[in-house]
Amino acid sequence: MIGFKKKQKRFSLLHLEEDELYIKPFSGSRFRTVSDGDGKIEEVHKGTIHVCSRSVLFEPERSEFPLTKYYFRDTDISVKLVSIDGAQHLSITSRKHTDIPITNVPSPYVINYEKTTVTFTTMYDLADLLYNWVHDLQSIALESISIYDKDRVASELVHQKEDKLTFDMSRIESINEKPLLKSELSVHRVHPYTAIPGLMMLTETRLYFQPMFNISSKPVKKIGIHDLSNFSKKRFKLRDLALEVTSKKKNKSFLFAFESEDQRDLIYTYLQRLVNTDCDTDHSIENLTLQWQNRQISNYEYIKHLNFAAHRTVNDLTQYPVFPWVLADYTSPSIDLRDHTVYRDLCQPIGALNPDRLRDCKTRYMDMPEPKFLFGTHYSTRGYVIGFLLRKFPDYMLNLHSGKFDHPDRLFYSIKQEWESVKTGPANVKELIPEFYEDDPSFLINYYKLDLGEKQNGERVDSVALPNWATSADNFLQTMREALESDYVSEHLHHWIDLIFGCKQRGEVALECNNLFHPYTYEGSVDIDSIRDPIERRAIEKQVLEFGQTPKQLFKLAHPSRNDKVSMAELEMKLKQTALDEGGMDRNQSRKSDASSRVSPDPSLKSTTSTDSSSGQNPTPNHKPAVKSQKWDVNEMLKSEFSYHQRVYRGNLTSCGILPDIDRMLFTATDGTVKVYSYKKKAKKMQFSVSNLALSCMDPLQEAGDMFAIGSWDNNLYVFNLAYGTIADSLYAHDDAVSACQVENEKNVVLTGSWDCTVKLWDLRENNIQKDPVDVWYEHDDQITSVSARGEYNTIITGDASGKVIVKDFRKTSEVLAEFDNFCDKIDSINWVNSRNFLTLSDGKITVCDVVGTIVDELTCVNNVKQISCDDSYVLAVTPDSVNLCEIIKNSIGHTWKSQVSEEIGCFSTGRFGAISLGGTKQGSLFTLSIPSL
């Protein structure tokens, strides 16, 4: 079979200068005259013309020719529109241009000072548009204003000329996906070397990023929500408005910077609702420290987690993860990690390891005006990270140094020399990066065979020179990792944590510990949004970009040693008092918080979530409201007639109820609506939309009122006003679908159950459900299918999909009164009989249970039961072909009504005194059992 090789794109945003904007690509050709040794020839190349805010860059289609960049700032550049053979062309004359070699070996750029005239043609007669862009941008470049003002004016020009970009909805993967946002959000995807502007859209299954310009073969990045392994809030350029998500696929992380903190928090809150339960959010510092002390995680893992919690990320070179130098011997022929003298003093910051250098810094500090600091450089900067990663990512350094590698003597070429510079250099106080303790040696070995030049002593720079004790790069990394996990480091690492993440990081204590850096490097020291002068703001951002950022402070008090001999309880209490983990607790702990600390999403946005349950199924909500009825008049009930109304509605009816006027009958359905049916007129009356997803359960807030609590698959609990047909209120109730709800007026509470396996108790005040739950219970391990409470009995009963039933006392909800594991299938319904007994429906069987945990009886008189309701003596049992009135004590059927219902029954409810019963099917039909006098 014949295949076609995909064209490889050679252009990269790394070819742009810092803060240079990418604007627009044009397909076309370049004509130029070049020398070939014997004379001059005309050269024609097809390719792409990339218009940027400071230059035009031409990317030839043929890979043997370099990319060429023509800067607008060259003062004698000439731009004009010429006509050749009746077609318009752009002509550029420049005194110099820059060639960017594109080979298998990244190489420095080549500046050609020969005056050159090139002519560009465009496809689709776009020469006028190309000329207008280049002419206007060149005019800005030649103005006598600051570089900041030039960039600002160029940015304004882009906004004026380009129509507002909207998210391309055709890029949504599936037509079944529902966007969760009213409109796309403007964001930047942050790479280690640049930030790409674009648009974000979120559905219940995917996060989408559409770049503002298409220089990739994939115009939209699609990130599966259920593929996420973790996500967390981050800082970007001193502002707390970024979000990082990590996908399990290739363990790839993505950092997005939003226009505001509120927009970031909106997406963060949605993700909390949508991700799988095994997805981590911001880690609990207390738990991490306990795991570290208990040897459940290594020193490497603990430092990595602390970096993560302190907003460090590999996607931002200005906030790259920080790791310590732990060894101090890089000269000996061999090394014994049991010898404490081979280790660095972890109690001291790098800047204090050399007493002479520290003395000089203190002298300078005394003579310095405010704001004072000991060290003008930092232990973690973008330049340091790029220097360490030169051999792995050479393009980073070419971008940083305008197309050149740094001077050979300043490159990272020797471990021994780097340590000596750290100890003695007047301004070198750098720590290490995580790569020094991992298993990839590519940052140490010159695999690309880069031409890094010669040092002043004539020695060529190649792979990094290793210590004498290292037999190879792999052996070096292995020894470094063993040193990091050594007993000595384990015993002293908490001192280094105090310096980098803890109590010795800032303020007077930092000065006393010789650990004080420039104020701008600390979180919260400058409110970048309050600075109105754009030049000053840009200057501060530049300083932070070049000179580093101190990690977020995680601890106020001294960090405990790994070897502290304290009990787990004491340690946990101590850490809770000292940790500053503002990012929140881990997913499991956050569920145990009485009050939700999440930011509520935009109330005008409809919240939806996947209809898949956590088990991967798509079950029908199983809640059947507990019956709040008086004793049935059985003699009247025996006169009842059965009536069947086929396919009144479309779709699945999930719960039902009868209003006191015994006319209006209410149903909830999987189409997200509340439906009203008139019993007397035998006709549909009204239908109200509540949610974009299925409604699963409902219960009136007052027995004779028009206000209802309604649960939905979108995780919300709604308060619905039937009199006005409107949503009076809504609250985000659970992390998954609300599957059951009951209002208990005796206690003024609402009880809810969910597919997230939790049961919550909510305070009810004057028809208003309070936003924070009164209590949350975690005893169930499977989806909650039924909840029932009787305030006069002070008892709450809950059942789940695995067949577990739990009984609790309102007065002491922390304790379980009884637990039943006898049922082999899900609990379809729970119904009260009296203060001691209740009925359960499971696997088509009705069981009589005692609240102390005893199964009293099984009603064998009827089988294959689908729905039930009861009073204190009788139960109505609905089977596929009949409705049966059973006497509980005698375990016998008193009367049977044959039904014509051939569909699966979805809900059933009995009204006051048993005068009327109502049921609905999963195909939209309904049936009634009522006395003729109604």
Side-chain angles (χ1 to χ4, degrees):
M1 185 175 76
I2 298 175
F4 295 92
K5 186 176 181 180
K6 191 174 182 179
K7 178 183 173 183
Q8 183 179 3
K9 290 196 174 185
R10 300 184 293 150
F11 174 79
S12 165
L13 292 177
L14 280 169
H15 300 141
L16 274 60
E17 294 183 324
E18 188 176 316
D19 296 322
E20 183 176 6
L21 303 176
Y22 184 88
I23 297 175
K24 202 174 187 68
F26 292 85
S27 295
S29 300
R30 179 185 63 183
F31 297 80
R32 67 175 179 178
T33 302
V34 296
S35 301
D36 69 345
D38 298 328
K40 295 188 175 182
I41 61 171
E42 285 292 328
E43 195 175 71
V44 182
H45 295 130
K46 292 182 178 180
T48 303
I49 307 158
H50 299 277
V51 178
C52 308
S53 61
R54 300 177 187 173
S55 63
V56 170
L57 193 150
F58 182 71
E59 176 187 8
E61 196 173 88
R62 293 171 59 182
S63 59
E64 63 265 31
F65 295 101
L67 278 68
T68 305
K69 197 169 187 181
Y70 304 91
Y71 285 98
F72 299 136
R73 61 173 173 259
D74 292 337
T75 55
D76 55 354
I77 190 171
S78 173
V79 178
K80 60 183 178 180
L81 196 63
V82 298
S83 179
I84 303 176
D85 296 330
Q88 299 294 315
H89 298 69
L90 173 68
S91 177
I92 295 179
T93 301
S94 177
R95 63 177 174 84
K96 67 177 181 179
H97 59 270
T98 302
D99 288 332
I100 304 174
I102 303 297
T103 63
N104 293 330
V105 180
S107 305
Y109 302 169
V110 178
I111 300 177
N112 190 322
Y113 288 94
E114 181 182 359
K115 188 174 182 179
T116 305
T117 297
V118 295
T119 302
F120 294 108
T121 65
T122 62
M123 295 177 66
Y124 314 114
D125 296 324
L126 296 175
D128 284 341
L129 179 60
L130 175 60
Y131 169 78
N132 290 334
W133 270 115
V134 173
H135 177 270
D136 292 346
L137 291 168
Q138 185 210 18
S139 299
I140 295 171
L142 298 183
E143 288 187 27
S144 298
I145 55 178
S146 68
I147 185 65
Y148 168 79
D149 287 326
K150 291 178 182 180
D151 289 340
R152 177 180 54 80
V153 175
S155 178
E156 293 172 355
L157 178 66
V158 173
H159 288 297
Q160 290 171 5
K161 288 198 171 194
E162 291 289 278
D163 293 333
K164 177 174 173 57
L165 182 66
T166 58
F167 184 82
D168 183 359
M169 297 302 292
S170 68
R171 299 293 182 180
I172 298 292
E173 186 78 8
S174 168
I175 60 173
N176 295 322
E177 291 185 53
K178 295 182 179 179
L180 301 181
L181 307 177
K182 288 190 298 186
S183 61
E184 62 277 323
L185 298 178
S186 294
V187 300
H188 283 76
R189 181 182 170 188
V190 182
H191 290 264
Y193 51 84
T194 188
I196 301 175
L199 300 175
M200 176 178 286
M201 180 53 68
L202 178 69
T203 71
E204 68 272 21
T205 55
R206 290 177 183 85
L207 184 69
Y208 292 87
F209 174 73
Q210 175 183 307
M212 196 71 72
F213 36 79
N214 182 21
I215 59 171
S216 168
S217 59
K218 295 181 179 179
V220 173
K221 183 65 186 177
K222 305 173 184 180
I223 306 169
I225 301 296
H226 299 300
D227 292 330
L228 296 183
S229 59
N230 62 65
F231 63 97
S232 65
K233 299 177 181 180
K234 299 291 185 199
R235 285 187 298 165
F236 180 65
K237 291 186 176 179
L238 298 179
R239 303 175 70 199
D240 185 18
L241 43 62
L243 177 70
E244 187 172 49
V245 300
T246 303
S247 174
K248 298 171 187 174
K249 293 183 177 180
K250 300 181 181 180
N251 197 30
K252 176 84 172 171
S253 63
F254 306 88
L255 180 64
F256 298 102
F258 293 76
E259 290 188 335
S260 70
E261 185 176 349
D262 288 343
Q263 289 185 355
R264 187 273 312 276
D265 289 345
L266 173 65
I267 299 299
Y268 182 87
T269 302
Y270 272 127
L271 291 180
Q272 282 186 308
R273 301 182 184 187
L274 298 172
V275 295
N276 294 335
T277 55
D278 61 349
C279 178
D280 288 335
T281 59
D282 303 283
H283 288 281
S284 163
I285 300 299
E286 308 98 276
N287 276 355
L288 288 173
T289 306
L290 289 169
Q291 291 177 40
W292 176 63
Q293 288 205 301
N294 206 33
R295 279 8 186 225
Q296 294 174 337
I297 59 175
S298 64
N299 290 338
Y300 168 83
E301 291 171 312
Y302 187 47
I303 298 172
K304 184 178 179 180
H305 283 311
L306 292 181
N307 274 283
F308 185 83
H311 294 179
R312 313 299 283 192
T313 167
V314 295
N315 288 308
D316 184 354
L317 297 180
T318 68
Q319 299 187 96
Y320 208 77
V322 185
F323 271 67
W325 288 91
V326 296
L327 289 176
D329 183 356
Y330 299 99
T331 58
S332 299
S334 62
I335 191 166
D336 183 357
L337 298 181
R338 295 168 297 180
D339 182 0
H340 292 179
T341 62
V342 303
Y343 291 95
R344 164 249 180 121
D345 182 1
L346 290 168
C347 298
Q348 300 291 333
I350 290 292
L353 294 179
N354 184 321
D356 294 335
R357 179 177 60 186
L358 179 60
R359 183 176 58 252
D360 294 340
C361 290
K362 287 185 173 181
T363 300
R364 187 177 65 248
Y365 173 86
M366 298 302 297
D367 298 333
M368 187 183 298
E370 295 291 345
K372 294 186 175 185
F373 49 86
L374 282 174
F375 307 106
T377 56
H378 203 261
Y379 50 77
S380 177
T381 72
R382 181 180 64 163
Y384 292 164
V385 176
I386 290 174
F388 282 137
L389 298 178
L390 163 63
R391 292 160 183 82
K392 188 174 184 179
F393 301 113
D395 286 327
Y396 290 0
M397 182 168 286
L398 291 175
N399 177 265
L400 179 67
H401 292 290
S402 301
K404 302 186 296 290
F405 293 127
D406 201 357
H407 190 281
D409 285 281
R410 289 196 296 265
L411 294 177
F412 170 45
Y413 61 86
S414 164
I415 300 294
K416 170 188 172 183
Q417 181 58 38
E418 196 66 37
W419 174 244
E420 288 300 318
S421 176
V422 162
K423 286 197 304 180
T424 61
N428 189 351
V429 294
K430 68 168 72 94
E431 293 280 9
L432 296 181
I433 57 176
E435 281 78 358
F436 279 83
Y437 300 100
E438 295 172 348
D439 55 7
D440 179 9
S442 60
F443 77 104
L444 298 171
I445 301 173
N446 189 8
Y447 287 121
Y448 287 117
K449 302 301 179 184
L450 303 172
D451 184 2
L452 300 175
E454 293 183 356
K455 296 186 294 181
Q456 291 183 351
N457 62 7
E459 180 183 345
R460 292 201 63 80
V461 177
D462 195 19
S463 296
V464 176
L466 302 174
N468 293 332
W469 45 258
T471 58
S472 65
D474 287 322
N475 175 255
F476 169 74
L477 295 181
Q478 180 183 352
T479 305
M480 292 287 283
R481 181 62 179 269
E482 290 175 358
L484 181 65
E485 305 300 338
S486 67
D487 291 340
Y488 177 87
V489 173
S490 293
E491 186 178 345
H492 295 87
L493 185 59
H494 62 287
H495 296 301
W496 183 83
I497 294 172
D498 285 338
L499 295 168
I500 306 300
F501 303 105
C503 62
K504 299 176 182 178
Q505 183 201 76
R506 58 200 303 165
E508 290 297 325
V509 177
L511 178 60
E512 294 171 5
C513 297
N514 306 315
N515 194 41
L516 189 65
F517 297 88
H518 193 284
Y520 285 168
T521 68
Y522 293 97
E523 181 186 34
S525 62
V526 57
D527 183 1
I528 200 72
D529 291 323
S530 67
I531 300 174
R532 300 303 178 190
D533 184 346
I535 296 179
E536 180 185 357
R537 177 172 176 165
R538 176 72 168 269
I540 292 175
E541 289 180 344
K542 280 287 187 183
Q543 180 169 340
V544 172
L545 189 68
E546 297 298 333
F547 297 106
Q549 296 182 60
T550 300
K552 172 186 174 72
Q553 188 180 23
L554 301 178
F555 306 97
K556 280 185 178 179
L557 304 180
H559 192 282
S561 165
R562 196 177 196 186
N563 297 327
D564 276 354
K565 302 301 182 182
V566 297
S567 70
M568 297 293 279
E570 291 173 330
L571 182 59
E572 186 172 11
M573 181 61 67
K574 179 179 180 182
L575 287 166
K576 284 183 177 179
Q577 294 171 348
T578 63
L580 297 177
D581 184 21
E582 298 169 4
M585 296 179 289
D586 63 24
R587 188 170 179 82
N588 292 327
Q589 279 204 335
S590 66
R591 290 178 176 173
K592 298 180 181 179
S593 178
D594 286 341
S596 172
S597 60
R598 299 177 187 167
V599 178
S600 297
D602 183 347
S604 66
L605 302 180
K606 276 288 184 182
S607 171
T608 61
T609 187
S610 171
T611 57
D612 291 340
S613 73
S614 59
S615 63
Q617 301 171 339
N618 190 12
T620 300
N622 296 300
H623 171 65
K624 314 300 177 292
V627 177
K628 301 178 183 178
S629 61
Q630 289 80 11
K631 186 176 179 64
W632 293 346
D633 187 341
V634 175
N635 291 329
E636 287 293 314
M637 289 181 68
L638 293 175
K639 304 174 185 177
S640 296
E641 297 176 352
F642 186 88
S643 179
Y644 175 53
H645 309 276
Q646 190 172 20
R647 304 295 171 94
V648 177
Y649 298 105
R650 293 181 180 179
N652 184 351
L653 302 177
T654 57
S655 69
C656 58
I658 306 164
L659 270 65
D661 59 14
I662 313 184
D663 177 27
R664 292 175 297 169
M665 298 177 171
L666 263 62
F667 296 88
T668 60
T670 53
D671 63 1
T673 63
V674 172
K675 306 175 188 295
V676 184
Y677 182 84
S678 173
Y679 169 73
K680 295 177 180 179
K681 295 180 180 180
K682 301 296 187 288
K684 295 185 287 185
K685 289 189 67 173
M686 294 169 287
Q687 178 171 294
F688 307 101
S689 179
V690 176
S691 171
N692 290 333
L693 291 186
L695 304 181
S696 55
C697 51
M698 69 175 174
D699 210 13
L701 296 186
Q702 301 293 335
E703 286 196 20
D706 283 318
M707 304 287 284
F708 290 80
I710 299 177
S712 173
W713 284 4
D714 66 10
N715 309 355
N716 283 315
L717 183 66
Y718 294 94
V719 177
F720 183 76
N721 188 327
L722 182 63
Y724 294 93
T726 59
I727 298 171
D729 197 7
S730 66
L731 59 92
Y732 179 69
H734 287 272
D735 290 328
D736 209 335
V738 178
S739 53
C741 70
Q742 187 201 329
V743 178
E744 176 44 57
N745 299 116
E746 178 82 14
K747 298 293 185 181
N748 291 322
V749 295
V750 179
L751 194 66
T752 61
S754 169
W755 289 348
D756 67 7
C757 309
T758 67
V759 176
K760 294 186 180 182
L761 201 63
W762 308 84
D763 192 11
L764 177 63
R765 302 177 190 174
E766 299 179 348
N767 286 340
N768 292 315
I769 301 175
Q770 303 306 300
K771 295 297 183 182
D772 294 327
V774 176
D775 209 346
V776 185
W777 306 323
Y778 304 90
E779 286 82 1
H780 289 277
D781 299 316
D782 209 337
Q783 299 169 348
I784 307 300
T785 55
S786 188
V787 298
S788 187
R790 292 293 286 267
E792 64 269 36
Y793 303 155
N794 287 311
T795 310
I796 304 164
I797 307 174
T798 57
D800 67 26
S802 68
K804 179 187 287 188
V805 174
I806 289 176
V807 183
K808 288 200 169 194
D809 191 319
F810 262 119
R811 296 160 296 186
K812 204 168 186 179
T813 57
S814 61
E815 296 181 6
V816 174
L817 294 181
E819 181 173 329
F820 299 80
D821 284 314
N822 312 71
F823 306 101
C824 60
D825 204 347
K826 68 179 179 181
I827 304 299
D828 290 308
S829 181
I830 296 172
N831 287 252
W832 283 96
V833 176
N834 52 47
S835 62
R836 287 192 58 84
N837 301 114
F838 61 94
L839 304 181
T840 63
L841 175 61
S842 177
D843 196 26
K845 301 174 183 177
I846 304 172
T847 306
V848 184
C849 302
D850 192 294
V851 294
V852 297
T854 304
I855 292 180
V856 178
D857 196 8
E858 180 179 322
L859 298 188
T860 56
C861 61
V862 61
N863 293 305
N864 199 17
V865 180
K866 301 303 180 184
Q867 302 287 334
I868 61 173
S869 66
C870 71
D871 74 347
D872 60 359
S873 300
Y874 293 86
V875 57
L876 279 172
V878 184
T879 69
D881 59 359
S882 64
V883 178
N884 303 275
L885 180 65
C886 305
E887 190 171 356
I888 297 174
I889 295 177
K890 293 182 179 180
N891 195 353
S892 63
I893 296 177
H895 191 78
T896 297
W897 291 267
K898 289 295 182 181
S899 71
Q900 305 88 13
V901 180
S902 58
E903 302 163 356
E904 188 175 359
I905 298 168
C907 56
F908 185 67
S909 179
T910 300
R912 294 165 64 88
F913 307 111
I916 185 169
S917 296
L918 171 67
T921 75
K922 295 185 178 182
Q923 286 72 39
S925 302
L926 60 91
F927 60 92
T928 59
L929 185 68
S930 59
I931 59 178
S933 59
L934 289 179

